[in-house]
Structure formats: C-alpha cells, structure tokens
Amino acid sequence: MPRRPGVSVRLKLTLSYAAIVLVTGAVLLAVAWIYLLRYVPDNDQGLLGISPNRFLLSRIFGRAAVIALVLLLVFGLVGGWLLAGRMLAPLGRITDAARMASTGSLSHRIRMAGRGDEFRELADVFDSMLEQLESHVAEQRRFAANASHELRTPLAISRTLLDVAREDPTRDQGELIERLHAVNTRAIDLTEALLLLSRSDRGGFTREPVDLSLIAEEATETLLPLAEQRGITVDVTGETTQTVGSAALILRMVTNLVQNAIVHNIPTGGAVAIHTEARPGASVLRVENTGHRLAPELVPTLTEPFQRGTERVRTDEHAGVGLGLAIAHSIVRAHAGTLDLTPRAGGGLVVTVRLPER
C-alpha cells in the first residue's frame, strides 16, 4: 500500500539544526540582557552620572538582538541544509543500491570508503547481505538446473523403454518391467531426497536431546551389510556425545555420511572410521574414510547438490542421487552446526560435524 508523501529527513534535520542555533543564540542574548543590563541604573544620569541609561541601552541591545536572531536563523537554515545533505549523502548511496537490488541486480556493491561510522557499517552490512543473496540465488539456480536434469534423465529413459516396447511387442516384458522398476525407484529416491532437502532447510522440527554416539552406532548397523559386501571395515569409537535436535534428521545426516564414506572408497581393503566426542561448547562427529585422492579445489563443492567426488560412482546402485552430502550439510546448518570437509593425504575424506552441545 503506497504511503502519503511526508517531509524529507533532510528538511527535518535542517529545521532541527536551525532551531538549535536559534534557541542557543536566544539564550545567550537573554543571559547578556539580564546580567549586563541589570547593573545599568534606570535614571537619566546613567551609571556614575554618565549616559546612556538602561532604557537607551535596552533599545539598542534589543534591535541588535533581533538582527542577530534573524542572522542566526538564516545561518541555521542554510548551514543546516548543507550539513544535512552532506551527512545524508551516504544514505543516498545505500538507498540507490537497495533500489537496484529490488529490481533483481545483486552484483552492485556500495564499497563506501573512509573511516568507520554508522553509515559505513550499514553499507558494509548491506554489501555482505547482497553478496550472500547473490551467492544464494546462484546456488538455487544451479540447484534447479541440476534437479531438472536429474529428474529428466529417468523420465527420458522410461520413455525410451516404453517406445522400444511399443515398437517391438515381442521383446521380453519381464526385462522391460525390471528396468522400468529400477528407473522409477531412482526417480522416487531423487524426489524424496529433494523433499527432505527442502524440509531440512526450513528448520521446522521439534528439538530433543540426542546422543550422537548412539546415532552413529545405529547408522553403522544399518549400513554394515553394504560395507561387508564391499569388503570395507567400519570402526565406531568415541564417548557419549549429547546434542539437541531432531533425532530422525540427525540419523539421516549420519547415515548419509557413513554411506558416502563406504561408497566413495577404494575397491578392496577400504576402511571407515567414525568417532564421536564432546568438546567445550560443541558435540563433534568425525567420519573418515580411505579412497581416491581428491583435488583440494573439488572438496568445497561436494556439499552442493548433485556433486560427486568421481564420475565412476554414477553407475553404482548405492551411489545415490548426488544429494547425500548436500542433505547432510543442510541438516547440520538447520541445527546451527558446521560441517567441514578435509581431504586425506593418502586419499579419501575427513568429514567433521560440530553441533551445539546439549
């Protein structure tokens, strides 16, 4: 709803400056009037018989006082207008930047120079906000593009299989149904992962006490058959580590990290180490695995949706849809924690999760 136009801040400041100058001048003149003229005798002879007297000085002083007040008013208005314009100039730059941002241009930055004050602090905060918004919008666009691509792939495969079946009625229906089932299952997994990622980003869940060590053991038991199938040893160590959050989401986060550590491992003789510990102010979970060497520039991108450490795992039935670390990162962020990725010197990855202690 549009608002009615009002008086500008510059005019308000100008009137305020002028009023302060005028009141200050009037007080000084009143003080001079009272304390100087009080000692002038009110008679025709004046002080010590010397003219002028109080009446004459009052007339002269009064005329000069009026002129002085008029000059002070003019000076206050002109000086206040210039001073207010100078003081509000940084606010104008911030307003222009905000107006540009409202039109969708997030690349503009104020970059106000000079020493720090309230306006420069506001400009720096606004620049930081624009940078985060630009990064978030770019991330969302990449996510939408990648999600569209990932969802289109199983649908395209399904259409191809159905076209082949229609053109060749003699084809083995059992094989066709099995392949369609596998493709449909992958599409469902992807959709559920996207929905979970959306819910975890909102952070609308009930918080309760959670023991990370028990969660780690439960996730390990669930994935132990997968580890044994691949010949990977899983070692769980640590102590009771209490935090606060959603037990279901934290379990999904730990499960994703352990599954990712098992899938992205060396073909034979691999290992996964899971450790929990309580530190001052934080509950820590560390998942470390052997694996292929990772380029340092690749590691920070692994928490982005649909990013995988190697192309080889795309054909792995347990490789997921490329949202495992993204979901884990989103869950950790929703719990006001941090997730750090560090490549191991001999290959593999170390994932460190820090959650607020109970």
Side-chain angles (χ1 to χ4, degrees):
M1 181 178 180
R3 299 183 180 181
R4 295 189 305 172
V7 180
S8 67
V9 176
R10 185 176 185 181
L11 180 57
K12 291 179 181 179
L13 289 176
T14 299
L15 295 177
S16 300
Y17 295 153
I20 292 175
V21 172
L22 188 63
V23 171
T24 303
V27 170
L28 291 176
L29 292 174
V31 170
W33 188 297
I34 294 173
Y35 286 94
L36 292 180
L37 298 183
R38 64 182 297 185
Y39 297 108
V40 178
D42 189 13
N43 52 53
D44 295 338
Q45 299 300 322
L47 182 61
L48 300 178
I50 303 175
S51 292
N53 57 21
R54 183 183 299 179
F55 175 75
L56 183 59
L57 288 177
S58 297
R59 292 185 59 184
I60 298 174
F61 187 85
R63 187 181 300 110
V66 172
I67 296 174
L69 289 176
V70 172
L71 292 176
L72 286 175
L73 178 61
V74 173
F75 175 78
L77 291 173
V78 175
W81 181 263
L82 297 176
L83 182 60
R86 182 178 179 84
M87 293 294 296
L88 294 176
L91 187 59
R93 292 182 57 185
I94 299 174
T95 302
D96 293 338
R99 188 176 292 111
M100 293 180 63
S102 66
T103 62
S105 176
L106 301 178
S107 59
H108 177 72
R109 300 290 183 271
I110 302 173
R111 293 190 178 90
M112 191 173 296
R115 297 183 178 180
D117 57 16
E118 288 80 358
F119 283 124
R120 287 175 178 82
E121 182 179 359
L122 176 60
D124 292 342
V125 171
F126 191 82
D127 284 345
S128 177
M129 182 191 68
L130 285 179
E131 185 176 355
Q132 293 180 6
L133 283 175
E134 185 179 20
S135 175
H136 182 70
V137 169
E139 180 181 348
Q140 291 298 317
R141 288 175 178 173
R142 290 195 303 270
F143 175 78
N146 290 331
S148 300
H149 173 74
E150 295 286 340
L151 285 171
R152 183 177 58 185
T153 299
L155 294 176
I157 295 175
S158 299
R159 185 178 63 181
T160 301
L161 292 174
L162 291 174
D163 289 341
V164 170
R166 183 175 57 183
E167 295 174 0
D168 185 10
T170 62
R171 188 179 181 89
D172 185 5
Q173 299 297 319
E175 179 186 358
L176 174 63
I177 292 174
E178 188 67 25
R179 295 185 63 182
L180 283 174
H181 180 268
V183 172
N184 187 63
T185 300
R186 185 171 181 82
I188 292 175
D189 292 342
L190 175 59
T191 304
E192 291 179 349
L194 290 172
L195 291 175
L196 177 61
L197 183 60
S198 174
R199 289 197 300 268
S200 61
D201 276 337
R202 290 196 298 267
F205 49 81
T206 303
R207 299 178 182 272
E208 57 184 345
V210 178
D211 187 351
L212 274 181
S213 60
L214 295 180
I215 293 291
E217 291 178 359
E218 182 177 353
T220 302
E221 290 179 3
T222 302
L223 295 170
L224 191 58
L226 175 62
E228 292 176 347
Q229 177 185 349
R230 293 169 175 261
I232 296 174
T233 60
V234 181
D235 185 24
V236 183
T237 60
E239 56 189 8
T240 300
T241 308
Q242 297 291 335
T243 185
V244 177
S246 169
L249 287 178
I250 293 178
L251 175 60
R252 181 59 183 266
M253 178 266 293
V254 177
T255 302
N256 284 1
L257 294 180
V258 176
Q259 181 177 354
N260 187 78
I262 294 174
V263 172
H264 296 266
N265 217 307
I266 56 180
T268 56
V272 175
I274 307 167
H275 181 73
T276 59
E277 63 178 306
R279 295 181 182 177
S283 299
V284 179
L285 167 74
R286 186 173 66 252
V287 179
E288 181 177 355
N289 71 311
T290 55
H292 299 278
R293 292 181 181 271
L294 296 173
E297 62 273 10
L298 174 65
V299 173
T301 67
L302 294 180
T303 55
E304 296 182 7
F306 307 108
Q307 293 295 321
R308 299 174 175 88
T310 61
E311 294 295 327
R312 180 184 60 81
V313 298
R314 288 184 180 270
T315 58
D316 194 319
E317 61 177 343
H318 296 287
V321 293
L323 289 173
L325 282 179
I327 291 175
H329 185 229
S330 178
I331 293 174
V332 171
R333 188 170 51 193
H335 285 77
T338 60
L339 186 149
D340 298 321
L341 304 179
T342 306
R344 294 178 72 250
L349 191 68
V350 178
V351 182
T352 305
V353 175
R354 293 178 177 85
L355 296 175
E357 65 177 354
R358 180 178 173 182

